[in-house]
Amino acid sequence: MSNNIINTTDANFDQDVLQADLPVLVDFWATWCGPCKAIAPILEDLAEEYAGKVQIVKVDVDNNPQSASRFGIRNIPTLFVFKNGEKVDAITGLQPKAELAKVLDQHL
């Protein structure tokens, strides 16, 4: 996994996401989820390309049920964009890299 991706927990979510200085793309995922596995290399590419501009954070919903419940995660992968501690965008399901980049660019 890229050094530019943070794996956060229920305990660290607010610090890693809501208090971040950069916009944050949060990936709610699980190890058993096929589309989650498929989107992982796309997120690694984006983490490299947007280093210093966007932080990418992953939340394993099985190990961090409070964060998943807090944000009403019902399907995975679900990706949220947070900016200044507020959720500003949501993407559900496997999306191509170009679509994710377009969403990120809107919030830079």
Side-chain angles (χ1 to χ4, degrees):
M1 183 181 303
S2 169
N3 292 334
N4 296 327
I5 295 178
I6 295 173
N7 283 293
T8 198
T9 62
D10 287 338
N12 295 332
F13 188 91
D14 286 4
Q15 178 183 341
D16 290 341
V17 177
L18 303 182
Q19 297 168 12
D21 295 330
L22 299 173
V24 181
L25 177 66
V26 180
D27 173 26
F28 292 93
W29 70 287
T31 56
W32 48 264
C33 166
C36 299
K37 291 177 184 175
I39 205 169
I42 295 169
L43 295 177
E44 289 184 25
D45 287 349
L46 291 171
E48 297 294 326
E49 291 175 24
Y50 285 84
K53 295 187 278 187
V54 173
Q55 180 61 60
I56 297 185
V57 174
K58 295 178 73 75
V59 179
D60 182 331
V61 297
D62 289 336
N63 295 329
N64 300 285
Q66 290 175 336
S67 295
S69 176
R70 179 179 178 187
F71 293 101
I73 303 302
R74 301 202 191 293
N75 300 303
I76 53 174
T78 292
L79 298 99
F80 287 165
V81 178
F82 288 85
K83 191 171 183 180
N84 301 319
E86 299 290 324
K87 183 177 86 170
V88 295
D89 221 325
I91 306 151
T92 303
L94 179 60
Q95 300 293 325
K97 181 179 173 183
E99 184 64 30
L100 296 176
K102 187 170 97 177
V103 170
L104 292 177
D105 289 341
Q106 291 173 356
H107 298 290
L108 291 180

